[in-house]
Amino acid sequence: MWTITLLYILGLTLCQASGQGASTQMYYVRLTIESSAIPNITERLGETFVNETSLQVDNLTVTTVCQSDAGSRECSCSSNFRWSEEGCDLQEKCTFPKDHTPMCVHSDAVAINGFLRLEGTTYHNCLKPEDSAEYKACHKDMFVKMKTVYSTLPGFDTLSITRYRVGSVIVEFALTVAQKIGQKDLVDKSDQLTRNVNASLDLESSGVIKLTMPASPVCFTDQPLLSCQLQEPLGVLPVWQLSQDRRVTEIFNGTEALVSTEPKNTTVQLLKISELWEGVYSCAYHQKKNDLTISHQASALMDLALLPDILISTEPGFPKCDSPEEVLSVKVICEIGKNTENYTVTWAHEHLFNAVPSEETKKTFTANAIVTCTESGVPTVTCNFANRCNETRSATVDINIIYEGEKFCPAEGDWGNTKVGFKGRLKCKGATGQRTRKCTTGDPEPFWEPEVSSCVNQDLNDVLKNAENSDIGLGSLDENAADVFSQLDQVTNNSQKINSYANLNASVQVLLSLSNKINSINNDTTADDFFDSSSNLLEESLKDSWIKKSGQENISLAERYLSSVEKLIDATNVTQLKKKKNIEVMATNCTKQNTKCYNKVFNVSVILKSSNPGKVKSAGFKELEKYLPQKDNTLEPNSIVVSTTMENKISSVEVEIRFPLLRKRPPHVLMKCVAWDNATRDWSEDGCKWSGASDEGLCTCKHLSSFAILMQRYPLKIDGLHQVTQVGLAVSVVSLVTCLIIEVLVWSSVVKTNTLYLRHTAHINISLCLLVADCCFLASMDPESVSELWCRIFVVLKHFCFLSMFFWMLCLSGMLLHQAVFLFHNVSKRTYLRLSMFLGYVCPLLIVVITFLVYDGGIEGEYFSKESCWLLYEGLMKGSIHTFVIPVGIIVFVNVLSMMVVIMKLLDHPKNAERTNESEKKAAVTVMRSVILLTPIFGVTWVFGFAVMLMDLTSGPIAITVNYLFTLLNAFQGFFILLTTCVMDKSTREALGKRLKTNASAPTSSSTTKLQSTWKK
C-alpha cells in the first residue's frame, strides 16, 4: 500500500476574514491507496473536497509519496517539492517511523517572520494577560486585520501571532505561503497593512531565494562557487554575509573573493581557501517602501577541508653523541594551529633507524626518532598531514647530531648544546615568533653570538594579521582599515609593550600593508587613530628599538615607516590641523593661479609656490631624523623631517622650508638642505639650496619630497692655515725673545729720559705678554690632544696676556697724550710706573677673574670652547669672547684718538718749542712713532679678528681671505714688534751697534747690573 499526501488550494469567492475580496486557504490530506491509482488521483478527487457553491478547488497537487514497510516508511517528494524535515533536505528519499507523517513543501514555498511596530495606544491591551477579555478582543482585532490583508496572497497557508512585546507595541508573527509568491504583491499588501494599523513593519522571508552551495567538503585547492537564485528580479542589490562564532561579516570583492550580480542571480567565488572562509553563508536582498522593510535571505553552512601551517622541531635541538656505538632517541614535534579538520598524520624518515608516533593531541603530534652515532648522512624526519579530500601538506626537519669530537657551544641558560655554524631556536614565551642564537667558530673555542628575538606581542600580531587580511573580501576595506587603526592605536599606546625591534617592525608592517591597500581615508575617527598610532611609534622611549641589532636589511625600518605614512597621509582627507605628540599634519586648499600655499607644522613653516597645486599637505615627524639611514658619517641631522605633497601633479614647483634647528649651529659649520631620495635610499642635495649662515634655517627646493637639514659634525678647515699659524707663531716667539734681549743690551744707552724709560718698559711688557700668549697658542694648537684642564689654563693665560698687551699700549698712548696736553705738568717716573702696572696687569686680571666667575667657574661650553681652546662666541653680544673684544675695541679707539690729538699738538710746535726740552720732545716723537706703528699692527690685526668672529667660513671666498689675513697678521705680531721697536728705531739700532762693537765680550750679567741700577734711579 502507498500513502500519499495531497495539497489542495481552496479558493473562496468571499474573504474568510471580512467577507470582502478573494482569499485562499491551504489544506493537506493524507490518503492510503493502491499504487495503480496514484496517476489519476488528483483528477478523481477534484470535486470531492467541496460541497459548497461559494468554494472551489484551485489546485490539487501530490506532495509526498511513501511506501510502507514493517515498522517504517520510505518517502520521497514529488517534483517541485522539497523536504520540510531537518536532516532530509539533501536526500532524495527519507525513512520515517510508521506513525510519523512526513511532509514535503513546494520548492517555491515561502516562510515569513514579521515584526509590526504599532504607533499610538490603540493596541496597548494586547500587552495585558492572555486570559483577559481586553487581550482577547485586542488580539482578535489584530489577527483579523492582518489576515484580511495576507489571506488574499495566492498560496496563503498560515498566519499566527507568536507574541506581543513592549517597544510601543511590537507584534511578532509568522506567515507561510505554500507556493511562489509575487514580490510586488507582497510589498503592496504589507504596505497596505502598515497604513491600516499605523505601524512600521519588518519582514524576513526564506524561500524567495534559492541558495546553491558546493558539495561538502570543499577541498583546500578548490575555488568554490556559491550562487543565489531569485524567483523574480527585486530591483535591489544583494548582500552576502559570513557568520563565524557569532560574528557576522559582509562579503565584498577582494583578493580572495569575487562577487557578481545579475537581475535574478548573484554569486560568490572564493579564490583561496583558509579557515577565515569557514562558516555559515547567507545572501540577502533588502527592500524598503515607506515604513516597510523586507529582507529576503537564504543561508547554508560551507564545510571546508583545510590544510594546516606546520611548525616542526626536535628535542633536543642538537643531540650529542659521546661515542660512535651510542644510539639516541630524539623527539620530533609537529605543531599546527587551531583547526577543526580531522587530519590523518603519517611520518617518514631518512638516514635514521626508525621514527615511531608517540603522542597525539589536537594541536601537537610527536614521534620518537631512533638515530645512531655513525656519520651516514643527515637524518631527516617528515610529518605529513592529509585532510578529508586526501590533500596533503608536510614539514621536514634535519636532526643535526653533534658527533664525537665535533665542536659545539655548551648549554647556557635556556639554550641547549648547539653545533658550530648552526642556530639554536626557542619559542617565544607569551608572544608569537621565535628567538635564535648562533654558535660561531672561535679561537680556540666556539662562542655564542648575541640573541636575536623576533617575538611579537600577541595583540600586535593579531592586528598585523587583520591588516594583511583587510582586503581579501571579508568586510569592506574601509571598515576593516578603521578597525585595524583603532586596534593599532590601542596596542601602541603603551610603549613598554612594543619596546623591541620585532614589535616596531610588526607595527610598521601594519602601516605599510594598509598603505598599499587603501585609496582614501575620509572618516575623522579613522584618521585620528592613524595619526595617534603613527605618533606612538616615534616615542623617544622607543629609540633603541628602531635599529636592528644584527644583520642588514634591504630597506630600513625608518624608510618603510616614512614611505607608508606618507602614502596614508596623501590618502587621508585632512580638513584641519592634526596635532599629535610626534606628528603634525596641515592641509591647505590652493586653487588660484600662481599662488603661495602656507603650512606650519612643529613651527616649521612651508611655503609652496606653484600654479594651481590643489590641496597641499605638510607633515612633520619628530625623532624620525635619527633613524633614517645616512651614508655620509660627517653629517648629522639638525632638524625634524618635514614631508610635503600636493594634489595636482605639476612639474614646476618651489618650496621654501624654514626649520627651527634642533641644536645651535657652531661657527664655521656647514649645513645642507636635503631631500630623501628613494632611489639611492639616502639624503640628497639635488634641487635643494641652503640660504647660508645669514638665514641658517631656510631651505629652498625645486621638487616635493621629505626634507631636513643636515649639519657637518666638524667646522670647516682652511687649507694651509694651520701651517701658516705654526710658522708665524714660531717666528714671533723667536722675534720676541730677540726683542727682549736687545732691550736688555741697549737699556742703559737708550733710557735717558722719563718718556723713553716708560716707552721701553711698555715695550718689554708688551713683548713678554705676547710671548706668553704665543707660547700658549702653540701649546693648544691641537685641542683634541689637550685635556680640558690644560685647555682652560691656556684660555685664561691667553685672555689675560692679550688684554694686558693692549692695556700696556693704552699706557703708552695715555702717557703721550698727557705730555702733549699738559705741558707744564710733570708726573714722576715712579707714579707713571705704578699707574702703568695697575693698568697693564691689574685691570686685565680683574676682567679675566670676573669673566671666569660669571661663566660658572670657567666651565667648558660657557667660558671657553674645547674645540678651539679659546673664548666662546655665541652670537652678537653673546659669549665670553666679548669680554676680550669690547676692551680691545675701546683701547684701539682711544689710541687712535690720542694719536690725532698728539699730532695736532706737535704741528703747533712754534708755541711750545721754547717750553719743551729738546730731548723730551725727541722722546715724545719716538713714543708717538711707536704708538703709531704698534696701534695699526695690533688694531688692524684685531679689526680682521672682529671680522673673523663675525664672518662665517660658510660664506665663501671673502671669509677665507679675511681668515688668511688675520692669521698672517696675528701670527707674525712678534716679528712686527721686532721691526717697529728695534729694527726701525734709530736710537736702538745705534745703541745696539755700539754695544756689540765695544762690549762684544762683556758678560750678560753686566747688562743686568746696569739695568738694575737704572731701575733704582
Side-chain angles (χ1 to χ4, degrees):
M1 297 295 291
W2 291 77
T3 300
I4 63 172
T5 301
L6 298 100
L7 167 66
Y8 66 94
I9 304 175
L10 185 62
L12 292 83
T13 57
L14 297 176
C15 178
Q16 299 173 16
S18 62
Q20 297 179 356
S23 63
T24 61
Q25 181 63 58
M26 311 301 297
Y27 290 92
Y28 295 89
V29 179
R30 188 178 71 182
L31 298 177
T32 302
I33 60 174
E34 295 290 339
S35 59
S36 58
I38 292 176
N40 300 317
I41 187 66
T42 56
E43 296 178 6
R44 297 179 180 179
L45 296 179
E47 303 287 336
T48 306
F49 296 100
V50 179
N51 55 13
E52 294 184 24
T53 57
S54 61
L55 302 176
Q56 66 180 26
V57 176
D58 291 341
N59 191 2
L60 184 64
T61 309
V62 175
T63 66
T64 313
V65 178
C66 299
Q67 185 175 8
S68 299
D69 199 356
S72 64
R73 291 177 181 159
E74 186 179 63
C75 303
S76 61
C77 294
S78 299
S79 177
N80 295 325
F81 284 82
R82 57 181 170 82
W83 287 110
S84 63
E85 307 284 343
E86 290 187 5
C88 288
D89 54 343
L90 298 179
Q91 300 180 35
E92 185 177 348
K93 293 184 177 181
C94 281
T95 301
F96 300 93
K98 197 166 187 177
D99 58 349
H100 181 75
T101 303
M103 180 66 67
C104 290
V105 296
H106 198 280
S107 298
D108 295 329
V110 178
I112 300 173
N113 292 318
F115 304 89
L116 192 64
R117 293 177 176 83
L118 302 168
E119 303 294 335
T121 60
T122 305
Y123 294 95
H124 277 190
N125 286 338
C126 289
L127 298 175
K128 291 188 176 183
E130 294 183 7
D131 56 354
S132 65
E134 294 90 341
Y135 169 82
K136 293 178 180 179
C138 179
H139 174 72
K140 182 178 179 181
D141 181 40
M142 176 55 62
F143 183 80
V144 168
K145 287 184 177 180
M146 293 176 68
K147 194 168 184 179
T148 298
V149 174
Y150 285 125
S151 65
T152 59
L153 288 171
F156 169 76
D157 189 356
T158 62
L159 172 67
S160 62
I161 297 176
T162 54
R163 67 167 179 159
Y164 299 92
R165 57 186 174 90
V166 177
S168 66
V169 177
I170 299 177
V171 184
E172 295 184 13
F173 65 94
L175 171 68
T176 59
V177 179
Q179 64 181 35
K180 179 179 177 181
I181 186 173
Q183 294 304 310
K184 185 177 184 305
D185 202 13
L186 176 63
V187 170
D188 291 342
K189 294 187 183 305
S190 298
D191 185 51
Q192 177 186 342
L193 176 62
T194 61
R195 294 195 300 272
N196 291 347
V197 297
N198 187 25
S200 62
L201 177 59
D202 292 334
L203 297 179
E204 296 178 358
S205 77
S206 60
V208 175
I209 303 172
K210 183 179 180 181
L211 175 60
T212 303
M213 299 290 291
S216 293
V218 176
C219 297
F220 187 77
T221 55
D222 289 349
Q223 293 186 338
L225 182 68
L226 292 75
S227 173
C228 270
Q229 190 75 32
L230 289 172
Q231 296 174 352
E232 61 181 272
L234 298 179
V236 292
L237 293 175
V239 176
W240 282 92
Q241 291 181 323
L242 173 61
S243 299
Q244 282 182 320
D245 299 327
R246 299 182 182 178
R247 180 184 177 186
V248 179
T249 308
E250 190 172 349
I251 301 174
F252 294 85
N253 277 316
T255 58
E256 296 183 9
L258 292 178
V259 180
S260 64
T261 302
E262 296 178 1
K264 293 178 62 176
N265 185 55
T266 178
T267 62
V268 169
Q269 184 172 18
L270 301 183
L271 306 178
K272 182 182 177 182
I273 295 298
S274 69
E275 66 274 4
L276 297 174
W277 294 104
E278 191 169 32
V280 176
Y281 286 77
S282 65
C283 66
Y285 290 81
H286 303 288
Q287 295 176 288
K288 189 170 181 63
K289 182 179 181 181
N290 300 327
D291 293 325
L292 170 66
T293 301
I294 303 178
S295 298
H296 307 285
Q297 80 173 32
S299 60
L301 173 68
M302 186 164 71
D303 183 19
L304 303 180
L306 301 172
L307 288 176
D309 295 323
I310 308 168
L311 178 62
I312 188 169
S313 60
T314 64
E315 288 184 3
F318 297 88
K320 183 176 179 299
C321 288
D322 294 324
S323 68
E325 295 80 17
E326 194 174 359
V327 176
L328 303 177
S329 176
V330 180
K331 188 176 183 180
V332 182
I333 305 168
C334 285
E335 296 178 87
I336 63 173
K338 186 179 179 182
N339 205 310
T340 58
E341 183 72 15
N342 187 21
Y343 295 106
T344 301
V345 181
T346 57
W347 297 84
H349 57 84
E350 289 184 10
H351 302 296
L352 54 81
F353 187 74
N354 199 3
V356 182
S358 59
E359 186 179 350
E360 187 173 311
T361 66
K362 202 164 187 177
K363 291 181 60 177
T364 304
F365 302 82
T366 64
N368 286 328
I370 310 300
V371 297
T372 62
C373 289
T374 55
E375 297 186 40
S376 58
V378 178
T380 62
V381 178
T382 301
C383 55
N384 296 286
F385 288 75
N387 62 15
R388 286 169 288 165
C389 295
N390 205 29
E391 298 168 314
T392 61
R393 178 174 287 175
S394 62
T396 301
V397 65
D398 292 338
I399 301 177
N400 296 297
I401 301 172
I402 303 173
Y403 293 102
E404 183 183 15
E406 287 188 327
K407 291 188 175 182
F408 64 95
C409 292
E412 183 179 291
D414 294 339
W415 303 95
N417 295 335
T418 301
K419 196 172 182 177
V420 169
F422 290 84
K423 290 181 180 179
R425 302 179 187 275
L426 293 175
K427 290 177 62 178
C428 297
K429 297 177 181 178
T432 60
Q434 62 180 3
R435 301 150 55 202
T436 61
R437 196 176 183 191
K438 188 174 182 180
C439 177
T440 303
T441 302
D443 187 15
E445 296 295 330
F447 63 92
W448 285 105
E449 289 187 1
E451 175 184 323
V452 177
S453 173
S454 60
C455 299
V456 177
N457 179 294
Q458 185 61 58
D459 293 337
L460 182 56
N461 189 65
D462 293 340
V463 176
L464 178 57
K465 286 183 178 179
N466 291 340
E468 291 172 343
N469 295 328
S470 60
D471 64 340
I472 64 173
L474 273 177
S476 72
L477 177 57
D478 290 342
E479 291 178 358
N480 289 342
D483 290 341
V484 170
F485 281 128
S486 177
Q487 295 163 12
L488 184 62
D489 180 25
Q490 295 174 16
V491 173
T492 58
N493 197 38
N494 185 349
S495 59
Q496 293 300 318
K497 288 187 176 181
I498 59 169
N499 195 7
S500 71
Y501 177 85
N503 282 316
L504 271 186
N505 183 52
S507 302
V508 172
Q509 195 61 36
V510 172
L511 297 175
L512 184 61
S513 179
L514 291 179
S515 70
N516 293 326
K517 302 175 188 295
I518 294 177
N519 294 320
S520 62
I521 301 176
N522 298 311
N523 185 283
D524 285 341
T525 302
T526 304
D528 279 335
D529 290 337
F530 156 55
F531 289 125
D532 282 331
S533 56
S534 301
S535 176
N536 292 340
L537 298 180
L538 294 176
E539 281 294 324
E540 189 176 3
S541 59
L542 297 174
K543 61 182 179 181
D544 294 333
S545 302
W546 276 88
I547 309 300
K548 193 172 184 180
K549 296 295 186 295
S550 62
Q552 295 294 326
E553 293 181 295
N554 292 332
I555 301 179
S556 71
L557 193 59
E559 289 176 85
R560 286 184 279 133
Y561 173 88
L562 179 61
S563 172
S564 58
V565 173
E566 277 184 336
K567 284 183 182 180
L568 290 168
I569 289 174
D570 196 34
T572 303
N573 182 21
V574 180
T575 57
Q576 57 185 348
L577 176 64
K578 297 289 186 180
K579 299 186 70 172
K580 305 301 177 183
K581 183 178 179 181
N582 298 304
I583 288 182
E584 281 190 11
V585 179
M586 185 176 180
T588 305
N589 281 315
C590 303
T591 55
K592 297 180 181 179
Q593 296 291 328
N594 301 319
T595 186
K596 291 184 179 180
C597 277
Y598 177 82
N599 286 332
K600 190 172 186 178
V601 289
F602 289 129
N603 293 322
V604 178
S605 61
V606 180
I607 299 176
L608 185 142
K609 302 175 185 177
S610 184
S611 175
N612 191 25
K615 179 174 281 191
V616 177
K617 298 176 185 176
S618 296
F621 305 89
K622 285 185 176 180
E623 305 294 325
L624 183 60
E625 72 281 353
K626 300 175 183 177
Y627 313 132
L628 285 167
Q630 191 171 305
K631 297 177 182 177
D632 189 348
N633 294 326
T634 64
L635 299 170
E636 60 181 352
N638 198 20
S639 74
I640 67 170
V641 177
V642 172
S643 174
T644 298
T645 59
M646 63 183 181
E647 183 180 10
N648 300 327
K649 307 304 179 185
I650 302 171
S651 58
S652 177
V653 65
E654 180 177 297
V655 188
E656 287 185 1
I657 313 107
R658 188 175 297 278
F659 290 97
L661 300 181
L662 299 178
R663 293 174 302 284
K664 181 177 176 59
R665 184 185 72 90
H668 317 305
V669 172
L670 183 66
M671 295 205 302
K672 295 182 179 181
C673 291
V674 292
W676 185 255
D677 188 342
N678 289 317
T680 62
R681 296 182 50 240
D682 195 12
W683 293 109
S684 171
E685 289 185 271
D686 292 345
C688 290
K689 182 181 179 182
W690 180 47
S691 295
S694 59
D695 197 353
E696 58 189 16
L698 181 62
C699 292
T700 304
C701 295
K702 299 294 185 181
H703 57 82
L704 298 180
S705 182
S706 296
F707 306 102
I709 287 182
L710 301 183
M711 183 174 72
Q712 285 192 338
R713 297 181 185 274
Y714 307 103
L716 292 175
K717 301 291 184 183
I718 301 177
D719 295 337
L721 201 63
H722 187 77
Q723 290 76 10
V724 171
T725 303
Q726 283 182 318
V727 172
L729 288 176
V731 171
S732 288
V733 168
V734 172
S735 299
L736 290 169
V737 172
T738 304
C739 186
L740 289 172
I741 293 172
I742 291 172
E743 287 288 351
V744 171
L745 292 175
V746 302
W747 180 267
S748 58
S749 301
V750 296
V751 177
K752 296 178 179 179
T753 65
N754 288 348
T755 303
L756 289 173
Y757 174 82
L758 292 174
R759 173 208 165 190
H760 284 276
T761 301
H763 285 174
I764 290 173
N765 283 281
I766 288 172
S767 299
L768 281 172
C769 291
L770 186 57
L771 179 61
V772 174
D774 284 350
C775 289
C776 290
F777 255 116
L778 280 172
S780 60
M781 282 197 68
D782 186 10
E784 293 181 0
S785 63
V786 180
S787 69
E788 185 176 324
L789 176 62
W790 276 107
C791 189
R792 183 185 289 111
I793 293 171
F794 289 143
V795 172
V796 170
L797 287 174
K798 286 186 283 187
H799 191 188
F800 171 76
C801 290
F802 278 125
L803 281 177
S804 182
M805 179 183 69
F806 277 97
F807 271 101
W808 275 104
M809 287 182 59
L810 181 63
C811 293
L812 275 175
S813 62
M815 177 196 68
L816 189 62
L817 183 65
H818 176 268
Q819 288 186 345
V821 176
F822 304 102
L823 297 176
F824 301 103
H825 184 267
N826 293 320
V827 180
S828 67
K829 182 169 60 177
R830 187 180 298 275
T831 303
Y832 263 126
L833 188 61
R834 287 176 179 174
L835 181 61
S836 298
M837 287 294 179
F838 179 81
L839 281 175
Y841 291 113
V842 176
C843 289
L845 183 63
L846 287 173
I847 293 173
V848 171
V849 170
I850 292 172
T851 303
F852 190 85
L853 295 176
V854 167
Y855 285 96
D856 297 330
I859 64 171
E860 193 272 332
E862 294 287 338
Y863 174 65
F864 73 98
S865 168
K866 178 67 172 62
E867 295 176 356
S868 61
C869 276
W870 182 229
L871 299 174
L872 204 62
Y873 174 70
E874 296 179 328
L876 191 61
M877 300 307 294
K878 295 179 182 178
S880 60
I881 188 67
H882 293 89
T883 64
F884 172 77
V885 170
I886 292 173
V888 168
I890 293 172
I891 291 172
V892 171
F893 175 77
V894 171
N895 286 351
V896 172
L897 186 64
S898 299
M899 283 189 297
M900 293 175 64
V901 173
V902 170
I903 291 170
M904 292 176 64
K905 286 293 182 178
L906 289 176
L907 291 175
D908 193 26
H909 69 279
K911 295 181 180 180
N912 301 310
E914 297 177 358
R915 305 174 190 174
T916 308
N917 182 276
E918 283 299 323
S919 60
E920 289 292 335
K921 185 177 180 181
K922 186 181 290 186
V925 172
T926 303
V927 171
M928 186 180 70
R929 186 177 67 243
S930 297
V931 172
I932 291 173
L933 289 173
L934 289 176
T935 297
I937 291 172
F938 293 115
V940 171
T941 296
W942 288 99
V943 166
F944 282 110
F946 300 152
V948 166
M949 184 179 69
L950 295 175
M951 296 180 70
D952 201 278
L953 288 179
T954 58
S955 302
I958 295 177
I960 295 174
T961 302
V962 170
N963 270 268
Y964 272 119
L965 289 173
F966 172 69
T967 300
L968 286 170
L969 290 173
N970 192 47
F972 287 93
Q973 277 184 5
F975 178 68
F976 297 142
I977 288 176
L978 178 64
L979 290 177
T980 55
T981 62
C982 296
V983 177
M984 296 178 64
D985 184 63
K986 184 178 179 181
S987 61
T988 302
R989 290 199 311 271
E990 291 175 350
L992 180 62
K994 291 178 181 180
R995 180 71 173 175
L996 293 175
K997 288 178 181 179
T998 59
N999 300 311
S1001 60
T1004 307
S1005 59
S1006 173
S1007 298
T1008 306
T1009 305
K1010 291 179 181 179
L1011 176 63
Q1012 291 174 351
S1013 64
T1014 306
W1015 273 89
K1016 292 177 181 179
K1017 292 179 181 179

